[in-house]
Amino acid sequence: MLTANFKHLDATPLERRRIFESISAPVNPQDFNRQLLALIDLTNHGKDVATFESDLVPLVTRWLEYWFQAAGAARKKEKERDLKEKEKGTKVHGVLREETNLTAIYAYVNSLVRFSSSAFREQDMSSLLSQLLRICKRTTVSSDIKSSIDIFNALVTYGEISRVMLEPCLDVLCGAYGTLKDLADPIWNTMCNLGKSHTAQNMATALLDIVKSPSMHVDRNTNTIRGAVMLVTRIMIADGEEGLVKVSFSAAMGAFQMSLATNSSRLELEVVGAVVKLVEDDGYSKALLQEDDWSILLDILAQCSRKVNGAIKAPSKGSKDKEKENIARLSASLTHVIHHLESLCLEGNFDQKQSVIDFFKAIHSHLPDTCAELLVQHYAEEHLCYPSNPDWLTEAKWLIQAFFLDPIRPASIRLLVLQAIKDIYQIVAVDSSSTDILELVMPVYCIMPKETDDGVLEGLRDFAVDIASHRNESISDAIIASLHTCLATGRRASTKSSDHAALSPPTKSKPTQRHSPAASVAIRGLVTIFIRALNCHAFKASKIFDLLLEVAQCRDYDLTARINAFRALFRLRSDSANALFLTTDPESEAMASCLGRTVASGDLQRMVQEPNHNRQAREENPGSAQSSRSSSTGGPLSFITNLTRRATNPVATSYFHSVSHWVYPNKYALPETPPSTPSHVVFCHPKAVGDTDADTADQKKLVLKVKVWLEAVISILQQEDDWDLYSYVIVHLGAQLSNHALFMDAVPQIQMLRSVFCEQMRINSFREPPSWAGLKRPDVMICLFHVLTILLTYHEHFSKNEQDEIVRTFMMGIASGERTAKHAIHGLSICCHELPLSVSKSLNAILQKMSQIITQSQVAVHILEFLACLARMPDLYVNFREEDFWVVFGICFRYLQYVRDQRQRASIVSDSQTRMKRESGPSTETASLSVSGNDLPQYVYALAYHVITFWFMSLKMADRAKYISWITKNLITTDSMGKEVIDEQSQVTIDMMQRITYCDHDETLPDPHFALPADGPVIKKSWLVGMSILTVETAVRSGVSQLTKRQPSATTYATYRSKVAPRPLHQVALPSSPITSSAEDDLRVDVLPNHILLQLTSSPWRTPESMRPIPLPDDETTRRAINMFDRNSTVDGHKVGIIYISEGQTNEAEILSNVIGNEDFTSFLGQIGTLTRLKDATFNTQGLDRETNMDGEFTICWRDRVTEMIFHIPTMMPTDKERDPQCINKKRHTGNDFVNIIFNNSGLAFRFDTFPSEFNYVNIVITPEARASPLGGHTQDETDRPEKRFYKLQVMSKPGFPELSPAAETKVVSGKSLPGFVRLIALNASVFSLVWANRETGELVSSWRNRLREIARLRGKHSQAQQQQINSAAAAVAVAQPSHRESLNLNFRRTSGPMFFGEGIASHRSSLLSPATTAMETDVGGGEIERESLVDG
């Protein structure tokens, strides 16, 4: 009703006053909306407040308070009701009356402020603002704050806020701005209006004061301060736009800095965010760059960075996730601004660069990597760590501490710092004190023991190596001690699981061991220092050597570190003057392959690994009956498959992949390539040092404790439980022991080492491979036998009993398995030359052992080669008993029978394949297998006969006859039809035995002057007698005759002379011969060759037709056939090259152009054969010129009763570098030799491809055990002779060529034994090469067999002619039917005349008249025999 009244009445002021009083009177809250509407109408929406302006503001202030509280209570109840209804599943939404009333009041107050604020009293407005501020602080609804802010904005726009209320209003505005993002725009509008008003400056000051509150001890909410920071930042970025107040950079930064007094990560995050906005804003950043002082800004960032670092390094126990999140966001914001500052520094004209650099230095731990790199580069560019800066050492130490020692930093930054320190070191190392240098470099090594980054470790190692070369001992000692500390820190745990199967169940996985990267790098650093000191600094080298010894023998050190120490120590070598050096080639590939430690052996294992584990059981149990049967009855290919297997063993594939600590070869085994020249300050024997006193440490000579190293090796062999280390030792020890000069001063240790090896082998106490390795005991034994083979060459330091023990150890190995037997036999072969007395003592037992394993086909070649070697050393079997010879021959017969069985099976298979081929066509695979399966058995076949031949010759002449029958019986075999068969080789062997059973003469020579002119003309007649050609040359008057017997195995000459008794006086003279008369007394014939034959043979009356001599016609065909027969030598010829390589030579032409060798080479040539003139030589020179000395005047030759070797020696051939720079004339000989002996004095490893050739199958490489000293001579003894020295010997084969030689793995022999041993190896290699070269075209036919075949051809041809003649004579007798007496006379006459001797008297007369019959056709071997004449087909 009141509303209606004053709408239609023009009320007076008094009436308006009374109406206001009525409206403002207390009413029921239910009617408040009408009360408020009445007031709105009365005041015309706040535009007309006359007569009651003093009471209106207090009224609405009270209403605000009341309805805010009422709305709060209603909201609380509504919330509780909502929770209950939510639990019930029902919810009804409605608008609260109290909230509607409060909203209406806010709107009305806003209108009052907009239209009538000037009419109200200041204190009333202050009360209203205070109420609004209280509501804003107490409310939980953003709409209340939004409404209050709208009122503030209206007041700022249409009125003013008193200075008293300005700061409280700003508090609310800042608090809301810092927390309520959706009110940011309304608040900013309000702030802009304030900033444009006359109170703008007061507002700015108040805002800064709010920001400074933490430092001014004013209690303000952090959100309020954050909001103030944000608003100040926004005002600064606005930069006075549209009249907005400005805030200076210095004032704002000062306030920001003061705000950080509170410990609030959120506030710090806001401050840093403000800085980020300022520096990144395109508009403000330009002004910012003009500022002279950035110190406060950078201090703010530094302070925040410290806060972040502190929170990260030491987080509080009660820190909440929100706090952690704030720290993370703060860190990201700092990183962001730092990147921006970095980009500014990279610009060329940035005035604040130094300040930023100082800031970066202050917050180095928070710097991103790129900024850190910038800072390090700045240090380097400005030379802040150089001596030109008084604080260089401090700055350098700071740089190390800040960036290098921080493990979080990437390797690139840390290495950059390390490089800077290296550069500084290079400058200060010359003039600075050792104290300063140590203070500079030692800090970088304090973290090395725990360092894990490979790049940093390598950098530290390289730096340590450089520092260690410093002349100052204290500096180098300190760095060496640091590396040693890394090793000590990286020691392994002393206890670990045992590998022995007895202590733990078998496992296929390798036990894990702790690995220290720092220890590995440290040991490589020490090795590098050792390499560099070896040639220049004896004390340093000796110190490092001692450290390496400590690491190698102490089981507590890191495993990888120990192996790296082994890699250096096992490469230590000595030259002939006892000067030490490190070799890059450990020469241990064969033994590494034996233990599956090479890539090649692992690949081969994966190809040939047999799924059936029974095979491995057979190989490891050779004594079982099943193994014996399988060996003796294997297929035709099993022999070659087993025999040609190289030094690899079946190892588990898992093992090959698990090898992690060492594999052979490893080109990074040494950290750097050692010098090629021996040291001139470090030696291995006191003799080389002498008593010289050097002026400086660099010139001082020292002797390394090589004997201590050998003691460490012995300890490892006895006690080491780690398989990787143990296997490394047994693989590499042999190669180092081959260097005798290295261990000249370690004789007691050598003796102990021999004792350890023999003892361990005798009682099987050596280290057994773990189950995960996939190896067996025989694999280890092979390596041990190899070492013992090298060790036996120190026999001059061993007693006779100790030498005997070595031989017994090898003898024990013969029966230890198929794989070990081979290496044991090889060792015994060396013993034959080096320990002959010990071998002789045990020879009977050795042969018995060998006879027990003849069923193992894999060792056939090795046993036969051993017997062949033994046959040429009569001193060894001088005490042989009869049964011992039976054993030798029995072994040969067993292998002959084996080969015959193989051939018989192969023949059956071949027949079967032929039938299959006719039915289904050819099979390429089968054909290729059958061809390759015949070569090695053929070699065994040839070797067996060779051994039989030589051992028969070795028999005493008085004993030979008793063996004939037994040997002959075993040479004759029975075929599948039961028929006896004797092959060609057996025939020639029997021929040889018949020839020498009662005679030991060498070859005889013909006597061209056996008959004098007075003896009358000479008639020559030949017969085939058995399997020989007998030629009789008879002087017809005196009967003196020369007999030539051509057998397969030899040609012998003899003279027959019968002394005619004087005719008695009472004897009547015989009538003259029909062909003579008194007038022709000079042509008288008294004796014919037929008579001589009758004197040498039995009476032909009862001789079977097949056994009667067959006369050969005296025609051109027969003479040509006999001449061709004589061209077949009575010995097998071989050609072998001997090539000398001088120091440093690797090029073929350079090597072949050598015209002289050293003393050792000359001595070797003098003992391997005999110097023989080539011109007019009557033997086969194997292609060397015999007429013009085109291939030299002399060569070296060697021959026994069976074999002849011609050596092609380039140093003895003419050298014409102008006409033949590539030495083709020399290469045409050595390049076509299957076997070459290489005397390698180059000091370098020999490569098989040095001499490219299709025909070089084998190179026998001889290398002095100690390479020649640059100073020359041998320090062992000035009176030392080459035969007293030792040489390494290795047989290198062409790829694909089987390794059969006892020197397939490197052996060591003395100079005394070298020529004979090499000659034997060359002979066997040449024989096998001939077999190998002819494996596709047919078997190798020896010279004896060629001669046998020539005789067989003549017999086949002329026996048919004789049979026809006999048949014709018999027919004539049957027709004539003479009397009995005449028949007897006729038969006798015909048999003994034309039938038996083949010719009548007339023919003899005609032969007398023929000048051709008087010519001597006895030129045996006068021409060169080409290789084609030795090979059938």
Side-chain angles (χ1 to χ4, degrees), residues 1026-1228:
M1027 293 307 291
S1028 65
I1029 304 174
L1030 179 62
T1031 300
V1032 180
E1033 300 170 85
T1034 303
V1036 297
R1037 191 177 302 167
S1038 65
V1040 61
S1041 302
Q1042 179 169 261
L1043 285 72
T1044 304
K1045 186 178 183 182
R1046 295 174 173 86
Q1047 299 174 246
S1049 61
T1051 298
T1052 55
Y1053 300 90
T1055 302
Y1056 176 87
R1057 183 184 300 273
S1058 59
K1059 188 172 183 181
V1060 181
R1063 183 185 302 167
L1065 296 177
H1066 58 277
Q1067 179 176 327
V1068 179
L1070 292 174
S1072 299
S1073 173
I1075 64 170
T1076 63
S1077 65
S1078 59
E1080 298 173 330
D1081 189 60
D1082 292 339
L1083 298 178
R1084 188 179 77 249
V1085 174
D1086 292 338
V1087 182
L1088 293 175
N1090 309 61
H1091 171 75
I1092 305 302
L1093 177 63
L1094 285 173
Q1095 308 309 309
L1096 302 176
T1097 60
S1098 60
S1099 172
W1101 180 249
R1102 296 294 183 182
T1103 303
E1105 295 289 346
S1106 60
M1107 298 299 295
R1108 295 174 183 174
I1110 301 174
L1112 296 178
D1114 186 17
D1115 55 17
E1116 184 62 29
T1117 301
T1118 301
R1119 287 192 293 272
R1120 190 185 308 112
I1122 293 177
N1123 187 48
M1124 289 300 297
F1125 177 89
D1126 289 339
R1127 288 180 176 272
N1128 285 291
S1129 176
T1130 57
V1131 292
D1132 287 330
H1134 299 272
K1135 55 180 183 176
V1136 176
I1138 303 181
I1139 303 173
Y1140 177 78
I1141 304 179
S1142 187
E1143 185 173 358
Q1145 290 182 337
T1146 57
N1147 179 265
E1148 179 185 32
E1150 184 181 19
I1151 294 170
L1152 293 178
S1153 63
N1154 289 329
V1155 296
I1156 193 173
N1158 64 355
E1159 178 189 8
D1160 294 17
F1161 179 69
T1162 303
S1163 175
F1164 173 75
L1165 291 182
Q1167 297 178 66
I1168 200 171
T1170 303
L1171 186 66
T1172 307
R1173 187 181 299 275
L1174 287 173
K1175 192 171 184 179
D1176 299 328
T1178 58
F1179 57 89
N1180 183 359
T1181 59
Q1182 298 293 339
L1184 296 177
D1185 178 64
R1186 294 181 289 183
E1187 297 179 357
T1188 62
N1189 292 333
M1190 183 179 69
D1191 297 319
E1193 187 177 356
F1194 298 92
T1195 192
I1196 301 295
C1197 305
W1198 176 87
R1199 174 172 172 158
D1200 60 16
R1201 300 175 70 178
V1202 178
T1203 309
E1204 182 177 63
M1205 296 180 69
I1206 307 299
F1207 295 103
H1208 295 163
I1209 308 172
T1211 55
M1212 301 181 72
M1213 299 178 184
T1215 302
D1216 189 346
K1217 292 185 178 181
E1218 293 183 359
R1219 297 182 180 180
D1220 187 12
Q1222 299 299 318
C1223 298
I1224 301 300
N1225 188 55
K1226 296 182 178 182
K1227 178 67 181 287
R1228 71 186 179 91

Side-chain angles (χ1 to χ4, degrees), residues 480-722:
I480 292 172
S482 296
L483 295 178
H484 187 209
T485 301
C486 290
L487 288 172
T489 306
R491 287 189 176 189
R492 297 185 295 154
S494 58
T495 59
K496 66 173 185 175
S497 60
S498 174
D499 294 339
H500 292 282
L503 302 180
S504 61
T507 176
K508 292 185 179 180
S509 61
K510 183 177 180 179
T512 57
Q513 296 169 342
R514 189 164 67 94
H515 170 60
S516 171
S520 299
V521 173
I523 192 67
R524 290 176 70 83
L526 289 174
V527 171
T528 306
I529 297 172
F530 180 69
I531 291 173
R532 297 186 181 182
L534 198 60
N535 280 33
C536 60
H537 203 294
F539 282 117
K540 198 174 299 180
S542 178
K543 183 177 297 184
I544 301 296
F545 180 77
D546 293 341
L547 288 178
L548 294 178
L549 282 180
E550 177 187 333
V551 174
Q553 62 186 331
C554 181
R555 287 186 285 179
D556 289 340
Y557 280 101
D558 178 76
L559 176 61
T560 306
R562 294 184 69 190
I563 288 181
N564 277 308
F566 281 158
R567 285 182 173 133
L569 293 171
F570 272 112
R571 283 169 169 78
L572 204 60
R573 298 292 188 271
S574 168
D575 69 0
S576 59
N578 295 124
L580 294 178
F581 64 95
L582 287 173
T583 180
T584 56
D585 182 11
E587 303 173 291
S588 304
E589 183 175 5
M591 293 301 102
S593 176
C594 180
L595 295 186
R597 289 283 181 164
T598 64
V599 176
S601 64
D603 291 340
L604 181 61
Q605 139 62 19
R606 287 192 291 275
M607 289 188 292
V608 304
Q609 187 174 11
E610 185 180 28
N612 185 3
H613 298 289
N614 293 334
R615 182 186 70 171
Q616 198 169 28
R618 291 196 304 269
E619 290 178 349
E620 301 307 330
N621 298 278
S624 65
Q626 181 180 358
S627 176
S628 300
R629 288 194 299 270
S630 63
S631 296
S632 61
T633 60
L637 299 182
S638 62
F639 185 87
I640 182 172
T641 301
N642 293 327
L643 195 56
T644 58
R645 182 180 298 154
R646 292 177 180 265
T648 56
N649 301 312
V651 290
T653 305
S654 60
Y655 167 65
F656 181 75
H657 290 292
S658 70
V659 172
S660 58
H661 291 100
W662 72 273
V663 178
Y664 190 100
N666 182 1
K667 62 180 179 180
Y668 303 109
L670 294 179
E672 67 178 34
T673 303
S676 58
T677 57
S679 173
H680 61 277
V681 295
V682 181
F683 299 86
C684 63
H685 197 281
K687 288 184 180 179
V689 176
D691 299 326
T692 58
D693 295 327
D695 297 331
T696 65
D698 291 349
Q699 300 172 348
K700 187 71 175 178
K701 296 181 179 180
L702 288 177
V703 177
L704 292 190
K705 304 172 184 176
V706 177
K707 59 178 68 177
V708 179
W709 160 235
L710 207 53
E711 291 172 358
V713 170
I714 295 172
S715 176
I716 291 169
L717 291 172
Q718 292 177 318
Q719 304 175 11
E720 184 57 55
D721 60 352
D722 187 277

Side-chain angles (χ1 to χ4, degrees), residues 758-817:
C758 291
E759 177 72 12
Q760 289 188 352
M761 297 288 283
R762 182 176 62 84
I763 64 176
N764 282 331
S765 62
F766 54 85
R767 176 75 159 83
E768 185 173 355
S771 56
W772 54 261
L775 301 171
K776 299 296 180 182
R777 295 179 66 87
D779 301 308
V780 181
M781 293 180 67
I782 290 173
C783 296
L784 299 182
F785 277 133
H786 173 71
V787 177
L788 191 59
T789 303
I790 304 297
L791 199 57
L792 72 85
T793 56
Y794 290 86
H795 54 80
E796 63 178 338
H797 305 301
F798 303 150
S799 66
K800 180 61 170 60
N801 289 335
E802 291 172 337
Q803 295 176 11
D804 294 344
E805 188 178 9
I806 292 176
V807 173
R808 289 195 298 270
T809 302
F810 283 121
M811 185 174 64
M812 176 269 299
I814 296 177
S816 297

Side-chain angles (χ1 to χ4, degrees), residues 850-851 854-855 860 863-864 867 882-902 937 940-952 955 960 962-974 982-983 985-987 989-990 992-993:
M850 290 183 177
S851 67
I854 57 176
T855 57
I863 290 178
L864 291 173
L867 295 177
E882 182 176 341
E883 53 267 26
D884 297 323
F885 286 100
W886 295 109
V887 171
V888 172
F889 290 123
I891 292 173
C892 297
F893 296 148
R894 178 63 185 86
Y895 286 130
L896 283 178
Q897 185 60 42
Y898 178 82
V899 175
R900 290 165 182 162
D901 292 343
Q902 295 295 311
V940 173
Y941 183 74
L943 263 182
Y945 278 109
H946 185 76
V947 172
I948 292 172
T949 299
F950 267 93
W951 278 95
F952 187 82
L955 291 170
R960 291 174 186 170
K962 67 178 68 173
Y963 290 89
I964 291 291
S965 176
W966 181 67
I967 294 176
T968 303
K969 177 181 177 182
N970 283 278
L971 292 180
I972 300 175
T973 185
T974 304
I982 179 168
D983 58 23
Q985 193 64 47
S986 296
Q987 292 183 55
T989 302
I990 294 172
M992 175 273 303
M993 292 190 296

Side-chain angles (χ1 to χ4, degrees), residues 43 208 223 267 301 313 379 404 415 455-456 575-576 750 780 966 1147 1238 1241 1286 1299 1304:
T43 58
L208 293 176
N223 288 332
L267 179 57
L301 296 177
K313 293 178 180 178
Y379 263 69
F404 184 77
L415 289 174
V456 174
D575 69 0
S576 59
I750 289 291
V780 181
W966 181 67
N1147 179 265
I1238 310 297
N1241 200 44
F1286 287 87
E1299 293 180 353

